[in-house]
Amino acid sequence: MSKVLILAEHDQAGLNPSTAKCVSCAAELGADAIDVVVFAADASGAAGAAAGLEHVSRVITVERAENSSPLAAIIAPQLATLGADYDYVLGPSTTFGKDVLPRAAALAGVGQISDIMAVENPQRFQRPIYAGNAIITVTAPDNAKIFATVRVASYRAAGESGSAAPIESASVDAELPTHTRYVELQSGSGDRPDLQTARRVVSGGRGVGSEDNFKVIFNLADRLGAGVGASRAAVDAGYVPNDMQVGQTGKIIAPDLYMAFGISGAIQHLTGIKDAGTIVAVNKDADAPIFEVADIGLVGDLFEIIPALERALGD
Amino acid sequence: MKILVCLKRVVDYNVRIRVKPDGSGVVTDGVKMSINPFDEIALEEALRIRERGDAEEVIALSIGPEDCQQQLRTGLAMGADRAILVTAEAAVEPLAAARVMLKLIEREGTDLVILGKQAIDDDCNQTGQMLAALWNRPQATFASKLELADGRATVTREVDAGLEVIDVELPAVITTDLRLNEPRYVKLPDIMKAKKKPLETLAIADLQVDVTPGVQVETYEPPPTRAKGIMVDSVEALVSAMRDKGLLG
């Protein structure tokens, strides 16, 4: 009888798709129960979405005013307390999960496994190290309580089950600190699909040339219903904000389609897109390393190719 | 105010990582070792705080083999006032490292701890959060901007949704992201001066912390490689290849 608790990520309104990816990982653990916990001021939206996911046995909501912001110092003590009854406590390897899970694990007195990319058996996991340049297999002792983050790029989101799991409200007896205050979120990308979970991503690099020129990337992305990414070079050149960065030092993503325009393909960028379904690359330089990993490559000027591509898509 | 900065010795970020043929680890013999780049940013931030007059002392801590002295000497050359090496022959997991750090925080009476958000070898991204938990103090991870005033720190954090600002009471643990600053270069006279700065060595066993590993590493493997793709010579061919893969439906 093993039980899994998954920390839901949400924006107080809806569930972040990373949660459904954690559910897919949890489903490989052979557990008897997979519960999802939503810490929020008002959990109804996220809890409803989590309850509809396949494999989910139960959704637990912990609603209190302090849970209105995603602060690790507030959420971790509650997660550690609630997690005491579980064999596994999982969260996504997003900035939210990476912030909360290790704090909760340490409060529970145990270590944490970061970025599970595959479950070999309920005690044996694969995870990347050295920015994905090596993969290790680690084993936890039998009956050990396991706290882990799930590498979201390695899992598909769990589907809808067709019937809703029960939603139960709980109160958690944990002392919450007052030393940490949430101020604000300065958001970058607006209405476009979230880069980390978008099925299609269009990215631009230094070859785009300027902040103004990046409009062509945004336009194509909107045409395809895609999220927009950028290489570190484009971010460092100030064309776009850093939350759009794809790569080892930015976001590691796995869309079905990744289109790279004017991106040379530094190792650190390729690390972020290795799990993409299909990589399409357009670059002026036929020797650019991006073509070594691209499934479809086209040598040429992106400012001629993107308008032609839009025309070809138009019919 | 005293600031503790943690410096991990790692394979230099420019080295191409190779897995040993027998799967027992990655090749480190004869490979350049450096301070973990995120930790170097942590040290730079601490030095700037001291140079502004907001701190009196910056202490650099490393946990690992004797050779970590090299990275601590570099840290001293950058400007740390003194260094502590906690020697450990076996690998030290994040939770154990956090326990060691807490011992030294308690001994030193530290008000601020700054360290990298992750080490570029094991990519765990845990130690700062675990330290903050054990210390029962605030954490501000993935910092890209740090302002100190009136015993509090206002920290801008690089999160997936954008930039999040939080405000924490000191003492606190800050973990650094790449954009926080650009570390200074070390000058030759500073390297000479650093040789005279104090470097204390302690054995991890003498600190009486639990360093039992939580997991065992079984094997190391190189990552799978992607199959070779195709080159097309026109937009029409590109669109057609994408349609064939069902990518435009």
Side-chain angles (χ1 to χ4, degrees):
Chain A
M1 281 290 283
S2 76
K3 288 165 67 185
V4 185
L5 181 65
I6 294 172
L7 171 65
E9 177 162 355
H10 60 83
D11 60 3
Q12 299 291 327
L15 191 67
N16 185 291
S18 62
T19 310
K21 297 188 171 197
C22 290
V23 170
S24 293
C25 175
E28 295 181 0
L29 295 168
D32 304 288
I34 297 175
D35 293 353
V36 175
V37 59
V38 181
F39 296 101
D42 172 2
S44 54
L53 296 172
E54 59 181 343
H55 309 301
V56 171
S57 325
R58 185 167 64 135
V59 176
I60 300 166
T61 59
V62 183
E63 293 181 313
R64 53 194 290 179
E66 293 94 325
N67 289 341
S68 62
S69 337
L71 289 173
I74 300 292
I75 294 170
Q78 302 175 72
L79 182 64
T81 304
L82 199 63
D85 294 333
Y86 290 83
D87 306 281
Y88 300 89
V89 179
L90 303 183
S93 65
T94 54
T95 50
F96 169 70
K98 288 173 183 173
D99 197 32
V100 177
L101 259 289
R103 187 167 182 120
L107 290 175
V110 299
Q112 187 209 271
I113 300 171
S114 295
D115 303 316
I116 290 180
M117 56 189 291
V119 175
E120 289 195 0
N121 70 39
Q123 255 73 47
R124 207 173 146 94
F125 309 94
Q126 285 185 2
R127 62 171 300 259
I129 58 170
Y130 289 102
N133 288 304
I135 310 295
I136 53 173
T137 302
V138 299
T139 308
D142 286 345
N143 302 321
K145 182 188 275 292
I146 293 174
F147 276 73
T149 57
V150 175
R151 184 173 182 270
V152 286
S154 297
Y155 287 90
R156 292 204 157 263
E160 308 271 327
S161 68
S163 65
I167 300 174
E168 294 169 18
S169 127
S171 63
V172 176
D173 187 19
E175 200 181 321
L176 302 187
T178 54
H179 53 47
T180 302
R181 289 200 298 248
Y182 184 84
V183 180
E184 62 174 337
L185 176 68
Q186 301 160 356
S187 171
S189 59
D191 310 334
R192 290 197 175 79
D194 174 44
L195 183 54
Q196 203 122 35
T197 49
R199 285 182 48 234
R200 296 170 174 172
V201 171
V202 178
S203 253
R206 191 184 283 281
V208 176
S210 71
E211 184 181 352
D212 204 39
N213 287 352
F214 232 86
K215 280 187 199 135
V216 302
I217 302 292
F218 285 111
N219 287 341
L220 177 63
D222 291 346
R223 189 72 177 260
L224 292 166
V228 182
S231 68
R232 181 165 168 192
V235 171
D236 285 346
Y239 304 165
V240 289
N242 187 49
D243 55 15
M244 288 173 55
Q245 190 194 145
V246 173
Q248 182 184 353
T249 51
K251 293 188 171 78
I252 293 177
I253 60 173
D256 296 338
L257 171 64
Y258 184 77
M259 301 186 78
F261 292 94
I263 292 178
S264 64
I267 294 276
Q268 89 89 19
H269 185 75
L270 303 183
T271 299
I273 60 171
K274 273 197 292 230
D275 294 309
T278 300
I279 297 173
V280 173
V282 172
N283 202 296
K284 268 201 277 202
D285 176 7
D287 296 324
I290 189 83
F291 290 123
E292 286 165 31
V293 301
D295 299 287
I296 311 171
L298 174 58
V299 177
D301 181 349
L302 70 97
F303 297 105
E304 289 165 17
I305 288 169
I306 289 179
L309 193 55
E310 287 179 339
R311 281 194 298 275
L313 292 171
D315 51 54
Chain B
M1 183 162 85
K2 271 191 197 179
I3 306 176
L4 181 72
V5 172
C6 307
L7 305 180
K8 187 174 183 185
R9 171 184 167 92
V10 298
V11 173
D12 187 84
Y13 76 100
N14 279 316
V15 171
R16 198 175 185 101
I17 298 299
R18 283 178 302 131
V19 174
K20 289 180 188 167
D22 66 359
S24 65
V26 302
V27 177
T28 52
D29 288 349
V31 161
K32 185 183 178 201
M33 304 295 284
S34 297
I35 298 175
N36 174 42
F38 292 106
D39 296 341
E40 205 178 355
I41 292 169
L43 176 55
E44 176 64 35
E45 196 65 18
L47 296 174
R48 290 183 190 189
I49 292 168
R50 190 193 63 195
E51 285 160 4
R52 283 203 300 265
D54 288 337
E56 291 77 49
E57 192 177 34
V58 174
I59 307 163
L61 166 68
S62 194
I63 307 169
E66 286 282 348
D67 290 340
C68 293
Q69 286 199 18
Q70 296 162 12
Q71 282 65 45
L72 286 172
R73 287 288 170 206
T74 305
L76 292 169
M78 276 178 73
D81 297 289
R82 61 189 167 96
I84 304 169
L85 169 59
V86 175
T87 54
E89 282 316 310
V92 178
E93 286 187 359
L95 182 59
R99 287 175 175 144
V100 168
M101 289 170 190
L102 183 60
K103 280 272 175 182
L104 291 162
I105 288 166
E106 285 166 350
R107 189 188 85 172
E108 299 288 342
T110 313
D111 310 285
L112 183 61
V113 178
I114 315 180
L115 67 169
K117 69 169 180 178
Q118 71 193 74
I120 62 164
D121 51 3
D122 62 25
D123 285 336
C124 276
N125 200 326
Q126 300 174 6
T127 309
Q129 295 89 312
M130 288 181 162
L131 172 62
L134 300 178
W135 195 14
N136 197 20
R137 294 305 310 165
Q139 69 190 45
T141 53
F142 324 139
S144 64
K145 192 173 170 200
L146 169 60
E147 289 171 316
L148 299 175
D150 306 323
R152 300 190 71 94
T154 302
V155 182
T156 303
R157 307 177 55 232
E158 299 211 357
V159 298
D160 293 335
L163 296 173
E164 184 190 275
V165 183
I166 65 171
D167 175 67
V168 300
E169 182 188 284
L170 300 182
V173 178
I174 312 284
T175 79
T176 61
D177 218 317
L178 278 180
R179 240 149 282 273
L180 184 60
N181 60 50
E182 267 189 56
R184 64 197 64 189
Y185 287 102
V186 172
K187 297 184 213 74
L188 188 61
D190 296 328
I191 295 172
M192 302 312 289
K193 262 190 269 172
K195 289 182 177 163
K196 297 199 184 87
K197 288 183 178 177
L199 192 162
E200 176 189 7
T201 301
L202 304 165
I204 198 164
D206 294 340
L207 292 174
Q208 294 175 325
V209 298
D210 180 3
V211 294
T212 320
V215 295
Q216 175 128 25
V217 181
E218 307 283 354
T219 58
Y220 291 72
E221 290 166 67
T225 49
R226 290 182 74 95
K228 187 95 184 88
I230 55 161
M231 294 300 291
V232 295
D233 55 10
S234 68
V235 170
E236 290 68 32
L238 173 63
V239 170
S240 142
M242 286 171 72
R243 282 202 204 284
D244 288 348
K245 285 175 174 278
L247 292 167
L248 296 174

